[in-house]
Amino acid sequence: MEQTKYDCGNLRVVMEDALVASLTDRGVMVDEVKRLVESFGNKLLMTKAAGEIDFTNKTSGASMKLDMQWESDISAVVYVKEVNMEGKKREVAVN
Protein backbone atom coordinates (compact mmCIF):
# COMPACT_ATOMS: atom_id res chain seq x y z
CA MET A 1 0.00 0.00 0.00
CA GLU A 2 1.11 3.49 -0.84
CA GLN A 3 1.85 5.91 1.94
CA THR A 4 1.36 9.66 1.47
CA LYS A 5 3.60 12.07 3.39
CA TYR A 6 2.09 15.21 4.92
CA ASP A 7 3.36 17.99 7.18
CA CYS A 8 1.83 16.21 10.19
CA GLY A 9 2.91 12.65 9.33
CA ASN A 10 2.22 9.74 6.99
CA LEU A 11 -1.10 8.29 5.91
CA ARG A 12 -2.15 5.14 4.06
CA VAL A 13 -5.65 4.69 2.62
CA VAL A 14 -6.88 1.09 2.54
CA MET A 15 -10.02 -0.46 1.03
CA GLU A 16 -11.08 -4.10 1.26
CA ASP A 17 -11.41 -5.99 -2.03
CA ALA A 18 -15.17 -6.42 -1.51
CA LEU A 19 -15.66 -2.64 -1.22
CA VAL A 20 -13.47 -2.02 -4.27
CA ALA A 21 -15.55 -4.52 -6.28
CA SER A 22 -18.82 -2.99 -5.07
CA LEU A 23 -17.70 0.54 -5.95
CA THR A 24 -16.45 -0.58 -9.35
CA ASP A 25 -19.76 -2.33 -10.06
CA ARG A 26 -21.58 0.93 -9.26
CA GLY A 27 -19.31 2.90 -11.59
CA VAL A 28 -17.44 4.70 -8.81
CA MET A 29 -13.77 5.37 -9.57
CA VAL A 30 -11.87 3.83 -6.65
CA ASP A 31 -8.78 5.98 -7.19
CA GLU A 32 -10.94 9.10 -6.90
CA VAL A 33 -12.26 7.92 -3.52
CA LYS A 34 -8.68 7.39 -2.33
CA ARG A 35 -7.66 10.83 -3.63
CA LEU A 36 -10.61 12.41 -1.86
CA VAL A 37 -9.51 10.91 1.47
CA GLU A 38 -5.92 11.95 0.77
CA SER A 39 -7.09 15.50 0.04
CA PHE A 40 -7.99 15.97 3.69
CA GLY A 41 -5.28 13.64 5.00
CA ASN A 42 -3.31 16.39 6.72
CA LYS A 43 -6.42 17.47 8.66
CA LEU A 44 -7.07 13.86 9.68
CA LEU A 45 -3.51 13.56 10.97
CA MET A 46 -3.70 16.91 12.82
CA THR A 47 -6.83 15.87 14.72
CA LYS A 48 -5.14 12.71 16.04
CA ALA A 49 -8.57 11.07 15.72
CA ALA A 50 -8.82 7.32 16.10
CA GLY A 51 -11.66 4.96 15.35
CA GLU A 52 -14.74 5.50 13.21
CA ILE A 53 -15.15 8.77 11.35
CA ASP A 54 -18.30 9.61 9.39
CA PHE A 55 -18.03 12.23 6.65
CA THR A 56 -21.22 13.51 5.04
CA ASN A 57 -21.50 16.21 2.40
CA LYS A 58 -24.26 18.51 3.66
CA THR A 59 -25.29 19.57 0.18
CA SER A 60 -25.45 16.23 -1.62
CA GLY A 61 -25.83 13.86 1.32
CA ALA A 62 -23.08 11.60 -0.06
CA SER A 63 -21.11 10.01 2.78
CA MET A 64 -18.09 7.90 3.71
CA LYS A 65 -17.36 5.88 6.81
CA LEU A 66 -13.70 5.62 7.70
CA ASP A 67 -11.79 3.84 10.45
CA MET A 68 -8.53 5.56 11.41
CA GLN A 69 -5.86 3.57 13.23
CA TRP A 70 -2.48 4.84 14.35
CA GLU A 71 0.68 2.82 13.70
CA SER A 72 2.91 5.34 15.48
CA ASP A 73 2.82 8.98 16.61
CA ILE A 74 3.29 10.15 13.01
CA SER A 75 1.84 7.33 10.91
CA ALA A 76 -1.80 6.32 10.47
CA VAL A 77 -3.93 4.04 8.31
CA VAL A 78 -7.41 5.04 7.17
CA TYR A 79 -9.64 2.09 6.29
CA VAL A 80 -12.49 3.12 3.99
CA LYS A 81 -15.43 1.08 5.29
CA GLU A 82 -18.38 2.44 3.33
CA VAL A 83 -19.04 4.87 0.49
CA ASN A 84 -22.58 6.11 -0.12
CA MET A 85 -22.86 8.18 -3.29
CA GLU A 86 -26.67 8.13 -3.34
CA GLY A 87 -27.06 11.04 -0.99
CA LYS A 88 -30.31 12.88 -0.53
CA LYS A 89 -33.25 11.99 -2.73
CA ARG A 90 -34.59 15.10 -4.37
CA GLU A 91 -38.24 15.48 -5.12
CA VAL A 92 -39.07 16.81 -8.55
CA ALA A 93 -42.25 18.76 -9.03
CA VAL A 94 -44.17 17.89 -12.15
CA ASN A 95 -46.60 20.46 -13.50
Side-chain angles (χ1 to χ4, degrees), residues 20-55:
V20 170
S22 171
L23 292 172
T24 302
D25 289 346
R26 293 186 292 169
V28 176
M29 297 178 71
V30 174
D31 288 341
E32 292 298 316
V33 173
K34 287 184 179 180
R35 278 190 220 119
L36 177 61
V37 175
E38 289 173 344
S39 73
F40 48 83
N42 207 45
K43 289 181 182 178
L44 286 169
L45 291 166
M46 286 187 332
T47 66
K48 295 289 185 184
E52 190 172 297
I53 302 169
D54 186 8
F55 283 103

Side-chain angles (χ1 to χ4, degrees), residues 63-83:
S63 64
M64 282 193 294
K65 289 194 180 188
L66 310 174
D67 183 22
M68 188 158 167
Q69 303 297 320
W70 288 86
E71 297 178 314
S72 71
D73 288 343
I74 60 167
S75 183
V77 180
V78 172
Y79 297 93
V80 179
K81 295 296 190 178
E82 185 180 311
V83 177

